[in-house]
Amino acid sequence: MPVSIPAGVTVTVADDNTVTAKGPLGTLSQTVDPDIKVAIEGNELTVTRPTDQPRHRSMHGLYRTLIANMVKGVSEGYESRQELVGVGYKVELVGQTLQFSLGYSHDIYFQLPAEIKAEVIAEKKSNPIVILRSADKQLIGHVAAKIRSLRKPEPYKGKGIKFVGEVLRRKAGKSANAK
């Protein structure tokens, strides 16, 4: 399946099989396995494999998806939204540092990479929301997972850091009449 290259994005393939995508939101590059061939024809990019061996088939799909994610990232970008659920849970953005107050005896300071832009929405009567934006899908997923691991949602009341729209598996509390 070819990857379509939108207007404003340039994709180049170097001699060492490194694919570079440059667009309005930045530049990303990925080194592709030497067995996999990447060709650009017009505004489409095709990825081909030499054989149907399981190894070549899996690498073909992997690199095609990685390149498609790079192209989408430099043209549109990616966004991750996380919500802090719990009484007194707060977050502030100071420069590139997120300062969390998550019910521990101390505040947690989380330094964001330079490639990620963050925004905090903290309104009265609603849970604080952290919005992360970046061109790199892998990096934004990694940072979002690290932030979530600071206080995972617990299964009884759902308190913790969760993704917006995530459905949590809830457990029933202890029964009063259990014998």
Side-chain angles (χ1 to χ4, degrees):
M1 197 166 108
V3 177
S4 63
I5 302 170
V9 176
T10 57
V11 179
T12 57
V13 181
D15 293 335
D16 61 343
N17 239 14
T18 301
V19 178
T20 305
K22 187 181 286 190
L25 296 180
T27 303
L28 295 173
S29 62
Q30 174 70 45
T31 304
V32 179
D33 190 272
D35 291 346
I36 304 298
K37 301 294 177 229
V38 180
I40 300 170
E41 299 155 6
N43 63 345
E44 284 190 341
L45 182 139
T46 55
V47 180
T48 55
R49 61 180 181 251
T51 67
D52 268 353
Q53 295 175 359
R55 179 177 165 275
H56 286 154
R57 290 168 52 96
S58 64
M59 284 193 310
H60 178 227
L62 169 75
Y63 287 119
R64 188 243 168 248
T65 304
L66 289 175
I67 292 168
N69 288 344
M70 284 187 344
V71 170
K72 182 180 177 196
V74 297
S75 62
E76 301 169 26
Y78 289 99
E79 178 179 280
S80 173
R81 293 174 172 257
Q82 293 177 303
E83 180 178 15
L84 279 68
V85 180
V87 177
Y89 287 7
K90 293 183 276 191
V91 63
E92 287 181 41
L93 179 65
V94 181
Q96 279 292 94
T97 304
L98 289 169
Q99 179 181 349
F100 290 97
S101 178
L102 298 173
Y104 295 118
S105 61
H106 59 283
D107 286 350
I108 299 171
Y109 297 92
F110 190 89
Q111 182 68 37
L112 293 169
E115 297 88 8
I116 291 187
K117 304 289 178 252
E119 179 185 346
V120 174
I121 300 173
E123 298 173 353
K124 295 261 188 210
K125 304 282 185 187
S126 69
N127 295 327
I129 295 177
V130 178
I131 303 171
L132 304 175
R133 291 186 180 92
S134 178
D136 193 344
K137 185 175 185 178
Q138 184 177 354
L139 179 66
I140 202 168
H142 180 72
V143 170
K146 289 289 242 186
I147 289 174
R148 179 188 161 100
S149 73
L150 299 175
R151 176 73 94 171
K152 287 185 180 168
E154 53 99 12
Y156 297 101
K157 292 184 178 177
K159 291 169 53 172
I161 301 174
K162 70 179 192 93
F163 292 100
V164 172
E166 178 182 9
V167 178
L168 297 175
R169 191 164 170 193
R170 302 292 288 270
K171 291 184 177 179
K174 63 181 178 180
S175 223
N177 298 357
K179 292 184 179 185

